[in-house]
């Protein structure tokens, strides 16, 4: 028996390929959305993966610096370092800023770290590590910066001495690493006008500027201008210790919030980016529905276009399964061709997206199976239309 | 029940006895066919005439096992297939194997070759592709369109397409062909050529053919015809004029 579906596709291949191409672009958008979701989930944890920390000590009743504001004193790490099971500790500070570069702005997450401690960029793809205490930076390649470039962050200018890769914030902003001292200045130091105004406000406060206590105003002023704050303390647990046990110990004795790697991952993926994921999920759902409707319409129209031939086929004894098989195979062909176009298109345009697009083989397989399922379901309308055709409609004019 | 009498003793390829078809019931019932008796011998070409609304299409659909008659009997190729109800379960297979159809327009499948259009029926009947194509090529040769076997239908002229449609109707060697105004889209000369072809094939393959027509050019060529009016068929003797390229 000849394959009627293949024959019809070959006969009207240009229209078929054009239809599949249009459908493929739609599938490509859906695949890109899937890749975007995966990319966001991957981005969300790339920074915490890069820290190589086991525990995050953050301000009590907060979810840590990636989710909300968290402020701790920078000497806290000393007391944590002495607890059993703690191998290494390090202060970190994070701040999203618009860094100045070449007359334009780059949105980056500034991360302050201590050399050779948790929180340091895990590897470099160019340049060298930071060797000076101030004004040197390591940037993620996504910033577009090169070694030797200079960027302005708040009041100061920093020289890019090294480049790292795949270090982005949960929002997808590339990370610029600077020393902890610089990060504290960037995050907490005020501009000159603010300092001047704050000093005047303190001096005009009679509670703090008492004639009988001459050193009080100076002491308060110094304390107000100090930069002894950080966002979190990263802890690396000694081999053989359970991170959860060490975390419980820190919580019990220090009254801070402590998160393990798993808990921090959960916060980032289920709380920080959840709305973005839901939004993309909604878009993907709508796209799937639109795709289904379009495929159904295409197949229905294709079926209506050969209604007389179907009537003739039925009249001369073709089985319903033969006709349904022809429509189904055409739908599958459309899905297969469309998926190939969509996969190629999404792979080609993915690098041009500002956010990281991550294609996973499992997602591709699932997407392909879903496409074929949608094609199967969509063809039902066409098959119903074909099976409703009366053989008698081949007779008469 | 009165059986239709013919002057020949040959068994009938198709025979209808007192066939009735009524649409609806009660006072609104429409009696489309009112006890039609009709028979055609193998190799015979019979005309079926009648004005619009006379019941031609209904009769055609009953004969073609497309709709259910209300009552009566149909004997096809010596087998009683309808006796106040279908005695054959698989009407689709009956149409495929026992009845050939030629329509007003050729209605060839546009996306397969001429050869496959003809071979499709034997393939649907379960024949191998090679056997079906061999049979199709034989018929196309008889109908003098074998040189276009691998062309697509749209590449053929109207007359060539109609010849392919006739070849398709003969593909499964049916004892009986229903031709529904096969010359409607053709001019007088081509109408005669097609009718001449049908008559020749009927004789060559011993196939009975009923031709529904309004065509004044071909009506005088029938030796026997049925005139249908208000659902009642009357048998008439035709003029039986020879076809132009046929010896008298």
């Amino acid at each position: 028996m000849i394959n009627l579906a293949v024959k019809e596709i070959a006969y009207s291949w240009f229209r078929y390929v054009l239809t599949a191409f249009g459908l493929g672009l739609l599938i490509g958008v859906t695949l890109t959305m899937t890749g975007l979701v995966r990319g966001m989930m991957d981005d969300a944890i790339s920074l915490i993966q890069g820290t190589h920390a086991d525990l995050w000590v953050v301000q009590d009743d907060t979810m840590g610096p990636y989710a909300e504001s968290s402020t701790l004193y920078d000497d806290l790490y000393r007391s944590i370092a002495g607890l059993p099971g703690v191998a290494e500790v390090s202060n970190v500070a994070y701040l999203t800023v618009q860094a100045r570069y070449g007359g334009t702005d780059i949105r980056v997450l500034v991360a302050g770290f201590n050399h050779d401690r948790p929180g340091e960029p895990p590897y470099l793809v160019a340049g060298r590590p930071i060797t000076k205490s101030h004004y040197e930076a390591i940037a993620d390649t996504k910033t577009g910066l090169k070694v030797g470039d200079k960027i302005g962050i708040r009041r100061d200018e920093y020289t890019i001495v090294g480049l790292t890769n795949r270090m982005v914030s949960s929002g997808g902003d590339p990370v610029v690493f600077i020393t902890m001292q610089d990060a504290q200045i960037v995050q907490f130091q005020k501009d000159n006008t603010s300092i001047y105004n704050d000093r005047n406000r303190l001096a005009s406060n009679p509670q703090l500027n008492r004639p009988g206590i001459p050193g009080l105003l100076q002491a308060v002023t110094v304390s107000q201008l100090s930069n002894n704050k950080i966002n979190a303390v990263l802890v690396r647990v000694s081999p053989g210790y359970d991170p959860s046990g060490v975390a419980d110990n820190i919580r019990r004795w220090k009254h801070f919030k402590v998160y393990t790697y798993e808990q921090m991952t959960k916060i980032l993926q289920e709380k920080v980016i959840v709305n973005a994921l839901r939004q993309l999920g909604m878009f993907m759902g709508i796209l799937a529905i639109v795709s289904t409707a379009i495929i159904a319409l295409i197949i229905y129209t294709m079926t209506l276009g050969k209604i007389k031939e179907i009537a003739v086929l039925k009249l001369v004894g073709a089985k319903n399964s033969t006709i349904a098989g022809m429509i189904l195979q055409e739908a599958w062909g459309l899905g297969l061709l469309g998926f190939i176009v969509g996969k190629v298109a999404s792979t080609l345009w993915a690098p041009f997206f500002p956010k990281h697009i991550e294609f996973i083989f499992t997602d591709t397989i699932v997407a392909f199976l879903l496409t074929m399922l949608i094609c199967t379901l969509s063809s039902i309308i066409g098959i119903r239309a074909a099976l409703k055709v009366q053989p008698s409609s081949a007779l008469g004019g | 029940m009165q059986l239709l009498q013919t002057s020949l003793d040959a068994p009938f390829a198709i025979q209808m006895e007192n066939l009735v078809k009524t649409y609806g019931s009660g006072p609104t019932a429409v009696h489309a066919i009112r006890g039609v008796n009709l028979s055609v011998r193998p190799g015979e070409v019979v005309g079926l005439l009648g004005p619009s609304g006379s019941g031609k299409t209904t009769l055609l659909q009953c004969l073609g096992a497309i709709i259910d008659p209300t009552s009566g009997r149909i004997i096809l190729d010596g087998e009683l297939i309808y006796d106040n109800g279908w005695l054959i379960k698989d009407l689709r297979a009956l149409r495929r194997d026992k009845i050939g159809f030629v329509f007003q327009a050729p209605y060839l499948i546009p996306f397969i070759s001429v050869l496959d259009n003809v071979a499709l029926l034997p393939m649907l009947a379960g024949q191998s592709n090679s056997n079906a194509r061999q049979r199709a090529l034989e018929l196309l040769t008889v109908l003098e369109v074998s040189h276009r076997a691998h062309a697509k239908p749209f590449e053929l002229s109207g007359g060539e397409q109609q010849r392919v449609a006739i070849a398709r109707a003969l593909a499964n060697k049916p004892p009986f062909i229903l031709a529904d105004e096969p010359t409607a889209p053709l001019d007088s000369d081509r109408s005669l050529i097609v009718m001449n072809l049908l008559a020749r094939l009927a004789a060559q393959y011993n196939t009975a053919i009923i031709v529904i027509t309004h065509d004044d050019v071909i009506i005088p060529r029938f030796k026997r015809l049925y005139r249908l009016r208000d659902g009642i068929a009357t048998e008439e003797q035709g003029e039986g004029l020879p076809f132009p390229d046929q010896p008298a």
Side-chain angles (χ1 to χ4, degrees):
Chain A
M1 181 68 193
I2 52 175
N3 189 316
L4 293 171
V6 170
K7 293 280 183 184
E8 196 194 0
I9 292 167
Y11 176 69
S12 50
W13 68 269
F14 184 72
R15 191 185 61 170
Y16 195 81
V17 167
L18 213 60
T19 308
F21 185 75
L23 181 67
L25 294 182
L26 201 63
I27 293 170
V29 172
T30 313
L31 286 174
T32 307
M33 288 270 194
T34 313
L36 200 57
V37 168
R38 287 289 181 194
M40 283 182 70
M41 293 177 77
D42 198 44
D43 281 353
I45 58 167
S46 71
L47 190 57
I48 63 166
Q49 274 180 333
T51 60
H52 293 297
D54 297 313
L55 300 174
W56 280 257
V57 182
V58 303
Q59 183 182 334
D60 206 11
D61 297 326
T62 73
M63 290 188 178
Y66 312 113
E68 56 186 322
S69 175
S70 162
T71 308
L72 300 170
Y73 283 103
D74 60 3
D75 56 357
L76 173 68
Y77 77 94
R78 295 178 201 277
S79 53
I80 294 172
L83 292 173
V86 174
E88 281 184 273
V89 289
S90 179
N91 293 335
V92 284
Y94 299 106
L95 177 70
T96 301
V97 299
Q98 294 290 132
R100 299 181 302 281
Y101 174 68
T104 185
D105 287 349
I106 312 170
R107 187 171 180 77
V108 295
L109 176 76
V110 171
F113 72 99
N114 290 312
H115 179 58
D116 215 16
R117 297 280 176 155
E120 187 173 18
Y123 60 91
L124 298 180
V125 292
R128 59 167 175 80
I130 291 173
T131 51
K132 295 178 183 174
S133 299
H134 292 287
Y135 312 129
E136 284 190 347
I138 292 169
D140 185 272
T141 49
K142 205 177 160 188
T143 57
L145 298 170
K146 296 183 289 293
V147 174
D149 283 345
K150 293 188 186 299
I151 57 168
I153 300 174
R154 292 281 161 86
R155 298 167 57 176
D156 301 311
E157 194 172 66
Y158 293 79
T159 304
I160 305 299
V161 296
L163 295 175
T164 186
N165 203 9
R166 294 287 304 118
M167 296 300 291
V168 291
S169 72
S170 57
D173 299 323
V175 178
V176 169
F177 291 91
I178 57 177
T179 61
M180 193 62 220
Q181 296 93 310
D182 283 343
Q184 283 179 305
I185 292 168
V186 167
Q187 190 164 19
F188 299 108
Q189 193 172 66
K190 296 172 180 173
D191 59 86
N192 289 344
T193 309
S194 297
I195 293 167
Y196 177 78
N197 288 338
D198 282 353
R199 278 179 184 161
N200 284 343
R201 284 172 72 89
L202 290 172
S204 62
N205 187 337
Q207 296 283 330
L208 302 174
N209 196 4
R210 293 180 186 177
I213 315 173
L216 178 60
L217 178 61
Q218 192 181 358
V220 171
T221 303
V222 167
S223 76
Q224 291 284 304
L225 297 175
S226 65
N227 301 321
N228 56 352
K229 303 278 177 56
I230 57 161
N231 295 133
V233 176
L234 304 186
V235 177
R236 201 169 284 161
V237 173
S238 302
Y241 281 85
D242 174 27
S244 300
V246 178
D248 286 341
N249 202 22
I250 296 171
R251 279 190 208 106
R252 188 180 309 125
W253 295 107
K254 299 298 173 190
H255 307 292
F256 297 109
K257 198 80 178 171
V258 186
Y259 294 105
T260 61
Y261 178 82
E262 289 75 23
Q263 288 168 329
M264 193 51 87
T265 302
K266 204 173 174 184
I267 286 171
L268 283 163
Q269 291 188 334
E270 294 183 8
K271 296 187 189 295
V272 177
I273 60 168
V274 69
N275 277 340
L277 291 183
R278 277 184 188 152
Q279 188 139 321
L280 284 172
M282 286 287 290
F283 270 121
M284 283 164 62
I286 291 167
L287 268 175
I289 292 167
V290 169
S291 303
T292 307
I294 288 175
I295 295 169
L297 195 66
I298 290 169
I299 293 164
Y300 183 67
T301 311
M302 281 165 61
T303 306
L304 289 187
K306 51 176 179 282
I307 219 80
K308 203 79 183 180
E309 287 80 13
I310 289 170
V312 172
L313 279 171
K314 291 179 93 165
L315 187 65
V316 300
K319 289 179 184 169
N320 282 343
S321 58
T322 306
I323 295 160
M326 176 177 71
I327 296 168
L328 192 61
Q329 285 174 63
E330 285 175 11
W332 283 343
L334 206 60
L336 178 66
L337 210 57
F339 187 82
I340 291 168
V341 171
K343 181 66 191 158
V344 171
S346 58
T347 306
L348 288 176
W349 67 44
F352 298 100
F353 274 72
K355 286 210 171 210
H356 173 55
I357 311 275
E358 175 103 6
F359 292 120
I360 295 175
F361 181 70
T362 319
D363 286 349
T364 306
I365 295 295
V366 170
F368 174 70
L369 293 176
L370 275 175
T371 303
M372 299 313 275
L373 181 68
I374 286 172
C375 284
T376 306
L377 294 175
S378 302
S379 66
I380 289 172
I381 299 170
I383 290 171
R384 271 173 61 94
L387 297 188
K388 273 186 185 171
V389 174
Q390 292 298 318
S392 56
S393 60
L395 304 170
Chain B
M1 189 179 291
Q2 185 189 357
L3 283 176
L4 186 78
Q5 298 298 311
T6 62
S7 57
L8 297 176
D9 294 324
F12 298 116
I14 180 80
Q15 193 174 7
M16 293 169 72
E17 296 172 359
N18 203 24
L19 202 76
V20 173
K21 175 63 185 177
T22 305
Y23 292 104
S25 60
T28 58
V30 176
H31 303 284
I33 303 288
R34 302 163 186 251
V36 167
N37 293 308
L38 179 152
S39 58
V40 188
R41 293 184 303 275
E44 189 183 17
V45 181
V46 169
L48 181 63
L49 319 178
S52 290
S54 60
K56 290 195 306 291
T57 304
T58 302
L59 187 62
L60 184 84
Q61 292 181 350
C62 290
L63 278 170
I66 298 166
I67 60 169
D68 299 338
T70 306
S71 63
R73 298 174 81 197
I74 301 174
I75 301 159
L76 178 62
D77 200 22
E79 184 184 3
L80 183 63
I81 59 166
Y82 184 88
D83 188 3
N84 295 319
W86 292 109
L87 303 174
I88 303 271
K89 281 185 180 173
D90 191 353
L91 294 179
R92 192 189 303 272
L94 175 77
R95 286 198 301 268
R96 185 187 64 210
D97 300 335
K98 299 278 190 180
I99 307 170
F101 292 91
V102 181
F103 313 108
Q104 280 184 27
Y107 296 138
L108 301 173
I109 310 292
F111 47 82
I112 56 178
S113 68
V114 163
L115 184 70
D116 282 343
N117 259 284
V118 180
L120 187 62
L121 266 80
M123 287 178 190
L124 287 171
Q127 284 194 34
S128 68
N129 286 10
S130 60
N131 283 351
R133 287 198 173 110
Q134 193 179 344
R135 164 76 180 156
L137 198 58
E138 283 168 19
L139 286 167
L140 291 173
T141 306
V142 169
L143 287 152
E144 298 170 359
V145 276
S146 58
H147 62 292
R148 310 306 303 274
H150 298 288
K152 289 286 190 294
F154 73 90
E155 296 172 292
L156 273 60
S157 69
E160 284 176 327
Q161 286 187 27
Q162 196 60 309
R163 274 188 275 166
V164 175
I166 293 168
R168 179 177 63 185
L170 288 162
N172 276 340
K173 302 178 185 171
F176 165 55
I177 288 177
L178 272 172
D180 180 20
E181 299 191 48
T183 61
L186 305 175
D187 58 32
S188 301
D189 292 343
R190 284 185 182 160
S191 294
L192 284 172
I193 292 169
V194 167
M195 279 311 302
N196 182 18
L197 194 60
L198 280 173
R200 185 161 60 86
L201 292 169
Q204 186 175 345
Y205 293 106
N206 211 27
T207 304
I209 301 179
I210 292 181
V211 180
I212 294 175
T213 186
H214 293 290
D215 195 334
D216 291 337
V217 176
I218 62 168
I219 288 171
R221 314 288 163 176
F222 294 113
K223 288 177 182 166
R224 198 160 67 88
L225 49 85
Y226 288 89
R227 200 173 290 277
L228 202 60
R229 187 176 290 276
D230 297 329
I232 299 168
T234 317
E235 186 185 350
E236 295 177 9
Q237 290 301 313
E239 295 177 50
L241 295 179
F243 290 100
D245 60 344
Q246 206 178 25

